[in-house]
Amino acid sequence: MKKTVDDMDDDLRSEYDFSKMAGGVRGKYVERYRAGTNLVLLEPDIAQAFPTDAAVNEALRLLMQIAQRQQSSN
């Protein structure tokens, strides 16, 4: 048996009554978000070695430099 809206617990405060708000557009910025987002799920051992996005980016840039040097020396 599915719960209806009335059956669900509603923890929103009364000042957050979105039904009274006008002009909201669902998904207004979704295309912009998708275009600028590239998420990658790291395995736990990799995430432990590179705990931040900056650490991952630094390691990948270093790897790119090494690969470019290897290609130019061949």
Side-chain angles (χ1 to χ4, degrees):
M1 183 169 164
K2 292 185 178 180
K3 289 186 176 184
T4 64
V5 174
D6 294 333
D7 293 338
M8 294 183 185
D9 292 333
D10 188 4
D11 294 334
L12 284 178
R13 296 180 181 176
S14 59
E15 62 263 29
Y16 297 129
D17 186 2
F18 296 114
S19 65
K20 296 178 182 175
M21 296 180 75
V25 177
R26 183 181 176 107
K28 182 176 181 179
Y29 299 104
V30 71
E31 289 304 319
R32 250 192 254 176
Y33 172 78
R34 285 184 182 152
T37 302
N38 187 9
L39 298 176
V40 177
L41 180 61
L42 300 176
E43 295 290 327
D45 58 328
I46 303 299
Q48 187 176 4
F50 304 101
T52 65
D53 57 340
V56 172
N57 289 331
E58 182 180 353
L60 290 174
R61 285 188 180 104
L62 180 60
L63 183 60
M64 287 170 41
Q65 288 176 1
I66 292 170
Q68 288 172 354
R69 287 182 188 153
Q70 290 293 325
Q71 287 178 353
S72 64
S73 67
N74 288 338

